[in-house]
Amino acid sequence: AGPMSEAPDSVKTAEAAPGGAVPPAAGADITAAPGLDLDAWRGDLSRLHGTIDQVVQSFIATQTQQLDAVAAELASQRERIVAKERCFAELSDSIAGFVEQEAKRMEACGLSLHDPEADARHEAYDA
């Protein structure tokens, strides 16, 4: 226990007591005031210390559980995003393949989709 939990067994005083009571002679030993149970006071402090420890441990445990729940949710969201990105890439590749096939089919039918000027503009735009 620290210095705050230990009270001296006697106190030396020469000051006037509150309420105008006659103080003891200067330098006289005064034992603990009547009605003051130092052992009970120390016990109360000890229980308070234990209670504070329990509250702090409970708070830390709750915060850890909440942090774990947030981390799990973030991991789940990340997995869903990766899955959506994979689906988007597959869809994009599928659309590009379809467009290429249709362009080849149309060229085979004699319809030209190739315009060198338009291609140059698109390349300049993409750059």
Side-chain angles (χ1 to χ4, degrees):
M4 293 298 293
S5 64
E6 294 187 36
D9 290 332
S10 64
V11 177
K12 295 183 181 185
T13 183
E15 298 177 15
V22 177
D29 281 343
I30 301 175
T31 58
L36 178 62
D37 186 350
L38 292 178
D39 290 332
W41 180 61
R42 286 185 183 112
D44 289 345
L45 287 175
S46 178
R47 283 189 297 280
L48 178 62
H49 180 73
T51 301
I52 290 172
D53 284 348
Q54 288 176 344
V55 168
V56 169
Q57 288 175 2
S58 175
F59 175 77
I60 290 171
T62 301
Q63 293 301 309
T64 301
Q65 289 172 347
Q66 289 179 354
L67 184 59
D68 290 344
V70 168
E73 179 60 27
L74 289 174
S76 175
Q77 287 179 3
R78 185 178 189 284
E79 290 173 9
R80 289 192 301 267
I81 289 171
V82 167
K84 286 180 181 180
E85 287 175 345
R86 186 175 42 252
C87 289
F88 181 75
E90 290 172 4
L91 178 61
S92 179
D93 292 345
S94 177
I95 291 171
F98 173 77
V99 169
E100 288 175 10
Q101 288 175 352
E102 288 299 306
K104 287 179 185 176
R105 190 172 69 82
M106 293 180 87
E107 285 180 2
C109 292
L111 185 60
S112 177
L113 298 175
H114 195 334
D115 179 4
E117 288 180 18
D119 288 345
R121 283 194 308 268
H122 290 274
E123 287 183 28
Y125 177 77
D126 289 342

